[in-house]
Amino acid sequence: MKHYLSIKDIDSLPDWVAEARTLKENPLLFQELGTNKTICLLFFNNSLRTRLSTQKAAINLGLEVVVMNFGNEGWALEFEDGTVMNQNKSEHIKEAAQVISQYCDIVAIRAFASLTDKTKDEAELVLNGFTKYATVPVVNMESSVGHPLQALADAITLAEHNTKARPKVVLSWAPHPKALPHAVANSFVEMMQLQDADFVITQPKGYELDPDITKNTKIEHDQQKALQDADFVYVKNWSSYNDYGKVLSQDPVWMMTKEKLDKAKFMHCLPVRRNVVVEDAILDGNQSLAIEQANNRTYAAQLVLKKILKSLP
Ligand code: CP
């Protein structure tokens, strides 16, 4: 595998999930794969889970890890072609990506959506800039449009807890005071489209995700109806896609409660705002899989890095 940029890079989700679960049982089995090799983790935005789990995954595979926070440590990068760089951008992606490629064997990038310019966000300037100009494989650690490492960890978690041939899985929008990107929801939807499940998205009107991503996925605006007989409820806020990046509602009626969850398992990518997105009783109870999802981030990343390392010359 050359790059891991989106869910589309997964050739067989059941095979990937099975292999990740095997890795989880014996995470140090492939330590020789990364010997004398280095991964650079480049962060244009904050992180807890992605940063630590990807480092842990790399260490499990014997890789050396170099981390850089571009937001406050690197030169401000220019991504547009042909720009007269007489403003605040000091270095072009063309040089930066080639230079970084000389220091590592794999580069992983986190660069969120601006939520101010849909066209630029959908062009994935940072991720695609590195993919175009780096000479080493690129891993997406959450870009404007997708978070495929999170969705792979979610698929592992679902497989570990599912007891049915065709479970009911609900992606339920939640209120949040800040405008959040669509990346986690997008990749979760794309991952669920590869599963045999009764999958439904529930959200207030105006919060429809990109129709090119949701395609013919069921959408139900009545949250109570959507949650009926659910086995798994994935709760997540995202800002409006049509009214791009806007917070249209903070209606607390959409917060997930223990009563609404009923017997279903609760999922969330974290970080989560308690008693805004979900009430304490769920996070502190035994129906929450959020901590296990975070643990599975290591094995999702480890599987991806293992596949890339195996395909290096
Ligand atoms: N879920 C997730 O990506 O967490 P971080 O933003 O902390 O990395």
Side-chain angles (χ1 to χ4, degrees):
M1 188 172 65
K2 174 72 176 155
H3 304 296
Y4 185 65
L5 304 176
S6 83
I7 291 296
K8 292 182 183 69
D9 291 316
I10 299 176
D11 52 10
S12 163
L13 185 61
D15 289 351
W16 280 46
V17 167
E19 193 175 339
R21 292 178 73 180
T22 306
L23 268 178
K24 187 175 177 177
E25 282 166 20
N26 204 343
L28 302 181
L29 200 60
F30 296 94
Q31 276 211 308
E32 82 292 348
L33 265 183
T35 306
N36 298 327
K37 293 198 164 53
T38 304
I39 183 169
C40 280
L41 309 184
L42 308 182
F43 287 89
F44 291 81
N45 301 96
N46 295 347
S47 171
L48 186 160
R49 280 143 289 273
T50 304
R51 180 168 174 154
L52 297 181
S53 64
T54 310
Q55 281 198 56
K56 177 71 178 166
I59 291 164
N60 284 349
L61 290 166
L63 281 158
E64 295 292 335
V65 186
V66 178
V67 183
M68 183 164 177
N69 298 314
F70 254 86
N72 51 13
E73 293 172 4
W75 300 112
L77 293 186
E78 176 61 62
F79 291 92
E80 309 269 3
D81 246 354
T83 320
V84 178
M85 290 172 58
N86 60 358
Q87 298 295 312
N88 60 341
K89 304 286 177 64
S90 307
E91 179 157 22
H92 202 278
I93 181 64
K94 290 183 185 183
E95 284 76 49
Q98 290 181 77
V99 168
I100 290 165
S101 299
Q102 297 176 118
Y103 305 145
C104 62
D105 302 275
I106 303 171
V107 62
I109 317 286
R110 163 163 284 202
F112 290 170
S114 68
L115 295 179
T116 56
D117 187 328
K118 187 192 271 191
T119 307
K120 276 192 178 170
D121 284 349
E122 292 192 334
E124 294 274 35
L125 290 181
V126 182
L127 186 70
N128 287 344
F130 275 97
T131 308
K132 187 169 177 186
Y133 296 112
T135 55
V136 296
V138 176
V139 174
N140 180 354
M141 297 195 295
E142 187 172 344
S143 64
S144 299
V145 174
H147 196 354
L149 285 175
Q150 180 66 53
L152 181 55
D154 298 336
I156 297 165
T157 314
L158 278 168
E160 287 175 335
H161 288 272
N162 182 35
T163 56
K164 293 186 179 168
R166 199 165 185 276
K168 180 168 181 183
V169 181
V170 182
L171 173 60
S172 187
W173 180 91
H176 198 284
K178 283 178 64 183
L180 296 190
H182 310 96
V184 169
N186 285 345
S187 290
F188 186 73
V189 169
E190 290 181 312
M191 181 277 289
M192 285 309 304
Q193 288 165 349
L194 303 177
Q195 303 256 14
D196 191 10
D198 175 8
F199 177 51
V200 55
I201 304 171
T202 184
Q203 86 228 343
K205 285 190 177 142
Y207 276 97
E208 290 71 25
L209 292 163
D210 180 354
D212 287 342
I213 288 174
T214 53
K215 298 193 174 85
N216 57 359
T217 299
K218 217 182 310 171
I219 296 172
E220 171 57 67
H221 295 296
D222 181 339
Q223 190 192 38
Q224 195 182 346
K225 201 167 154 195
L227 292 173
Q228 222 164 20
D229 301 322
D231 297 297
F232 298 90
V233 179
Y234 200 109
V235 178
K236 184 73 186 84
N237 168 268
W238 59 87
S239 55
S240 174
Y241 176 75
N242 289 326
D243 197 353
Y244 193 64
K246 297 285 185 308
V247 176
L248 305 180
S249 166
Q250 292 191 47
D251 190 345
V253 80
W254 281 85
M255 181 179 80
M256 190 51 55
T257 63
K258 202 162 167 19
E259 190 186 348
K260 283 198 259 182
L261 188 65
D262 195 18
K263 292 182 176 55
K265 296 284 187 191
F266 169 85
M267 298 181 76
H268 193 284
C269 61
L270 302 179
V272 70
R273 292 193 183 223
R274 283 173 172 254
N275 305 309
V276 175
V277 170
V278 52
E279 68 176 2
D280 280 338
I282 293 180
L283 290 169
D284 296 334
N286 58 12
Q287 285 168 264
S288 175
L289 303 181
I291 304 300
E292 291 183 50
Q293 285 171 263
N295 186 36
N296 282 331
R297 291 292 307 274
T298 298
Y299 308 104
Q302 197 169 331
L303 177 67
V304 166
L305 297 181
K306 179 185 167 212
K307 283 179 180 288
I308 290 173
L309 285 169
K310 283 200 152 189
S311 66
L312 287 180

